[in-house]
Amino acid sequence: EVQLVQSGAEVKKPGESLKISCKGSGYSLTSYWIGWVRQMPGKGLEWMGIIYPGDSDTRYSPSFQGQVTISADKSITTAYLQWSSLKASDSAMYYCARRAGSSLNYFDYWGQGTLVTVSS
Amino acid sequence: QSALTQPASVSGSPGQSITISCTGTSSDVGTYNLVSWYQHHPGKAPKLMIYEGSKRPSGVSNRFSGSKSGNTASLTISGLQAEDEADYYCCSYAGSSTWVFGGGTKLTVL
């Protein structure tokens, strides 16, 4: 069974760093792109970026380029989303999602979400 | 890369049909017949309902259907049921392994 399991909720202060994770199981992580999606409170889904763990090819939405870093460790079948200096506006739910195939352009499995709260 | 445009809300009575539109540009929806639709109940993971414009994943009710005309994609739900009440998002491929979501539509079943 394909599963994406995300790390737990985080409460951080502005300026702190954070790295959240998305661990894939039930399939070969290195063969599928993993994307990240943000949902701010009361708002819609926003596509942030995507990584191919097999070779770490990474693409970002222009809105998130330079604001976050997406990475992956294929040896432990895990993708990451990280911030070097959090802002209050980073408070949101973050989802990871699997691109259904390298030539397919939709997301077939999703993680349960990681709630990030940034507050002083 | 601007968000696709969806109506903020739609509503319908049980048994009725509703359609949610999703308008993009010639850089996304208009160029690629690669719009997917996701159902999202608050607090849960989004669920794929339609992919490649009109295809249904295994297990998704045939009450859900998708179409596209020009720069606008549409999701139609027929025979509305209470369990269909959720937020719905369209998502279009935008080239070079990038995507863009719509702003989301809240479906209320009256």
Side-chain angles (χ1 to χ4, degrees):
Chain A
E1 179 193 8
V2 173
Q3 282 193 309
L4 296 175
V5 178
Q6 297 185 229
S7 49
E10 301 274 1
V11 179
K12 292 288 191 178
K13 294 185 181 336
E16 291 186 332
S17 62
L18 175 64
K19 192 174 190 178
I20 63 174
S21 66
C22 170
K23 182 171 176 61
S25 62
Y27 75 101
S28 173
L29 186 85
T30 56
S31 301
Y32 290 82
W33 294 75
I34 294 290
W36 287 94
V37 176
R38 181 176 78 174
Q39 185 176 34
M40 298 178 73
K43 302 297 184 181
L45 303 178
E46 299 173 88
W47 187 80
M48 301 176 70
I50 197 166
I51 188 166
Y52 187 71
D55 62 8
S56 293
D57 185 3
T58 308
R59 313 293 171 88
Y60 293 92
S61 162
S63 300
F64 292 92
Q65 179 83 50
Q67 308 304 307
V68 297
T69 300
I70 295 171
S71 60
D73 185 340
K74 60 184 180 182
S75 67
I76 55 171
T77 66
T78 301
Y80 301 97
L81 178 65
Q82 68 180 94
W83 296 259
S84 58
S85 180
L86 286 161
K87 302 185 286 286
S89 57
D90 293 319
S91 295
M93 180 73 84
Y94 293 88
Y95 294 99
C96 63
R98 188 185 83 160
R99 182 182 185 181
S102 291
S103 61
L104 300 175
N105 294 292
Y106 54 94
F107 300 96
D108 57 354
Y109 288 91
W110 292 68
Q112 83 278 17
T114 295
L115 182 63
V116 174
T117 303
V118 184
S119 174
S120 55
Chain B
Q1 203 179 49
S2 300
L4 308 176
T5 300
Q6 298 181 233
S9 63
V10 297
S11 62
S13 299
Q16 289 186 330
S17 294
I18 63 94
T19 296
I20 299 171
S21 62
C22 168
T23 301
T25 69
S26 57
S27 297
D28 38 62
V29 177
T31 293
Y32 305 97
N33 192 24
L34 295 170
V35 174
S36 50
W37 289 88
Y38 301 87
Q39 179 190 65
H40 190 207
H41 289 103
K44 302 185 77 173
K47 177 185 176 184
L48 176 67
M49 305 302 286
I50 295 287
Y51 65 97
E52 293 177 357
S54 60
K55 298 177 182 178
R56 273 189 314 275
S58 174
V60 171
S61 170
N62 59 9
R63 297 185 298 105
F64 290 83
S65 61
S67 63
K68 193 194 94 163
S69 178
N71 293 341
T72 298
S74 298
L75 172 71
T76 297
I77 309 173
S78 59
L80 269 180
Q81 299 179 0
E83 68 207 48
D84 298 333
E85 187 162 293
D87 298 322
Y88 290 85
Y89 294 89
C90 60
C91 180
S92 176
Y93 184 65
S96 301
S97 292
T98 65
W99 284 260
V100 59
F101 278 95
T105 298
K106 181 177 179 61
L107 169 61
T108 301
V109 181
L110 302 171

